[in-house]
């Protein structure tokens, strides 16, 4: 009796939140969503604007708050954005021709970029314009497209919207078979009848009433299956590593079990080793980051099933001449 009443009170409380909350992630909700992804990408909740390393994943240098890569062109997009803020005369300028060439070709070469990481690290530590450029590109290329999908689905909960953003970073937001839109579509197609739940938020999926958390749980299953069985040929070579790299979905499942649907000022999640960690809004990193023998932060090998399908691949960007049209589509 008490448990049933407690469940009724929980649903009533969620309904009250949904009645007043802005659907889009903003403020602390967005900050926490970004910091959760920071854990999965970098091992702690901080924004590592100064991170730069060749992790030997076939994508050149990986750097910054969203793992921008020289071999997939999103790093070049960051530097282009930085050039706009500096007038085009800054420490990256001597590398522009090489960076543009690798971005266009998708090359993993780092030849001619011997000073790249030292420049990225220096500017990332203290240059506000460079940090702003990273924030802008992260939002335009990953955050905004993921939230556009969330709007189309009618998602209300921070946890569901946050998971779509994290999957966009992990898998990309392209139209390829392993990209976020395909994973969302595969999830929704699996519902051929109403699917009830007690979250208090109901989606309309294929004409059926589907509880939002039930949809999210199915989405996590689809993501894990894609890690084990990617559809795109270029991604299949990594399945021996990616199949065990499901700490992100385990963390979100942990929050689902705790009914942490809205974030507030903090959430309890799991770090990449499965240990509980509290993520606070606008707080410094709450997990100790491991370092190597030289004192450098150890970047956990990240799952890299980023779709290569056209036109907006996370891991292999379209020609730069097409980027303005691509970003324009985001705001339609």
């Amino acid at each position: 009796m008490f448990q049933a009443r407690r469940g009724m009170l929980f649903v009533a409380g969620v309904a009250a939140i949904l009645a007043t909350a802005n659907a889009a992630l903003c403020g602390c909700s967005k900050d926490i969503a970004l910091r959760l992804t920071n854990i999965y990408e970098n091992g702690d909740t901080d924004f590592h604007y100064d991170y730069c390393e060749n992790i030997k994943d076939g994508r050149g240098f990986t750097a910054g708050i969203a793992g921008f890569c020289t071999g997939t062109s999103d790093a070049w997009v960051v530097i282009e954005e930085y050039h706009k803020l500096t007038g085009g005369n800054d420490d990256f300028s001597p590398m522009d021709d090489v960076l543009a060439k690798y971005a266009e070709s998708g090359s993993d070469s780092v030849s001619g970029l011997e000073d790249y990481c030292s420049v990225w690290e220096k500017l990332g530590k203290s240059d506000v314009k460079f940090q702003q450029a990273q924030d802008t590109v992260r939002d335009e290329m990953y955050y905004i497209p993921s939230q556009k999908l969330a709007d189309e689905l009618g998602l209300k909960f921070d946890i569901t919207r946050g998971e779509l953003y994290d999957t966009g970073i992990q898998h990309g937001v392209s139209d390829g078979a392993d990209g976020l839109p395909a994973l969302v579509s595969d999830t929704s197609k699996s519902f051929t009848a109403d699917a009830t739940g007690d979250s208090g938020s109901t989606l309309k999926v294929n004409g059926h009433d589907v509880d939002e958390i039930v949809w999210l749980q199915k989405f996590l299953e689809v993501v894990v299956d894609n890690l084990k069985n990617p559809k795109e040929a270029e991604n299949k070579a990594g399945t021996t590593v990616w199949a065990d790299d499901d700490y992100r979905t385990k963390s979100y499942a942990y929050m689902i079990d705790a009914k942490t649907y809205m974030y507030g000022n903090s959430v309890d999640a799991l770090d990449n080793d499965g240990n509980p960690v509290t993520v606070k809004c606008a707080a410094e990193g709450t997990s100790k980051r491991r370092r190597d023998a030289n004192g450098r932060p150890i970047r956990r090998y990240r799952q890299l099933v980023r779709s290569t399908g056209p036109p907006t691949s996370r891991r292999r960007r379209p020609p730069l001449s097409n980027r303005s049209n691509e970003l324009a589509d985001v705001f339609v």
Side-chain angles (χ1 to χ4, degrees):
M1 179 71 177
F2 174 74
Q3 289 181 340
R5 183 181 178 186
R6 183 172 59 182
M8 292 171 63
L9 290 173
F10 171 78
V11 171
V14 169
I17 292 173
L18 294 178
T20 58
N22 184 347
L25 287 174
C26 59
C28 275
S29 295
K30 179 180 178 180
D31 185 73
I32 288 175
L34 299 181
R35 290 179 185 277
L36 284 167
T37 294
N38 288 351
I39 292 177
Y40 314 138
E41 291 285 304
N42 297 309
D44 63 28
T45 60
D46 293 337
F47 293 93
H48 291 275
Y49 294 98
D50 61 332
Y51 169 78
C52 185
E53 186 178 0
N54 184 356
I55 60 176
K56 311 292 185 182
D57 64 348
R59 294 167 176 86
F61 285 119
T62 298
I65 58 172
F68 304 113
C69 297
T70 56
T72 61
S73 93
D74 50 3
W76 173 233
V77 176
V78 170
I79 293 167
E80 284 187 302
E81 183 67 24
Y82 181 57
H83 285 337
K84 293 178 185 177
L85 301 175
T86 65
N89 184 20
D90 53 63
D91 291 349
F92 279 116
S93 299
M95 295 176 265
D96 280 357
D97 290 344
V98 176
L99 287 166
K101 180 177 71 173
Y102 293 161
E104 185 76 21
S105 66
S107 172
D108 65 347
S109 174
V110 295
S111 177
L113 299 177
E114 287 75 18
D115 296 329
Y116 180 81
C117 273
S118 62
V119 170
W120 190 291
E121 290 167 356
K122 180 185 74 173
L123 297 177
K125 282 182 171 68
S126 59
D127 191 313
V128 175
K129 291 181 179 178
F130 188 49
Q131 294 174 359
Q132 179 184 335
Q134 293 189 48
D135 287 338
T136 297
V137 174
R138 175 203 60 210
D139 283 357
E140 287 184 346
M141 295 180 95
Y142 308 117
Y143 179 75
I144 292 173
S146 74
Q147 297 311 294
K148 182 180 178 183
L149 279 173
D151 289 341
E152 292 171 355
L153 286 165
L155 301 181
K156 301 296 191 301
F157 291 133
D158 293 348
I159 187 174
T160 324
R161 286 179 164 270
E163 166 60 13
L164 258 62
Y165 163 70
D166 184 68
T167 303
I169 288 288
Q170 185 185 31
H171 288 251
V173 295
S174 83
D175 292 331
D178 295 326
L180 174 62
L183 299 177
V184 168
S185 177
D186 289 347
T187 301
S188 294
K189 287 177 182 177
S190 70
F191 291 97
T192 58
D194 291 352
T196 59
D198 62 0
S199 77
S201 174
T202 301
L203 311 178
K204 187 64 71 172
V205 180
N206 302 326
H208 304 294
D209 291 334
V210 178
D211 182 85
E212 181 169 337
I213 296 302
V214 173
W215 186 94
L216 175 57
Q217 290 172 318
K218 181 61 179 179
F219 180 74
L220 294 179
E221 293 177 9
V222 169
V223 170
V224 171
D225 181 69
N226 185 262
L227 297 181
K228 297 177 181 178
N229 305 289
K231 297 178 181 178
E232 295 179 47
E234 184 172 327
N235 291 328
K236 291 181 179 180
T239 54
T240 55
V241 174
W242 300 330
D244 297 325
D245 219 356
D246 58 353
Y247 47 87
R248 309 167 94 112
T249 54
K250 288 179 179 177
S251 181
Y252 271 91
Y254 177 86
M255 289 187 283
I256 290 173
D257 289 343
K259 296 186 182 298
T260 308
Y261 303 158
M262 304 298 285
Y263 286 163
N265 292 321
S266 67
V267 299
D268 292 328
L270 298 179
D271 66 17
N272 297 338
D273 296 314
N275 300 314
V277 59
T278 298
V279 180
K280 298 179 180 179
C281 175
E284 295 183 358
T286 54
S287 57
K288 297 291 184 181
R289 192 171 189 198
R290 292 174 292 180
R291 297 179 178 270
D292 62 22
N294 297 317
R296 286 178 56 85
I298 297 174
R299 186 182 184 86
R300 185 183 179 101
Y301 185 87
R302 298 179 297 122
Q303 192 279 35
L304 289 169
V305 179
R306 268 84 170 209
S307 174
T308 57
T312 56
S313 169
R314 165 66 174 97
R315 292 291 83 189
R316 193 172 299 281
R317 304 291 298 151
L320 298 178
S321 59
N322 295 341
R323 191 171 71 86
S324 59
N325 293 332
E326 169 197 326
L327 294 183
D329 290 342
V330 170
F331 296 97
V332 172

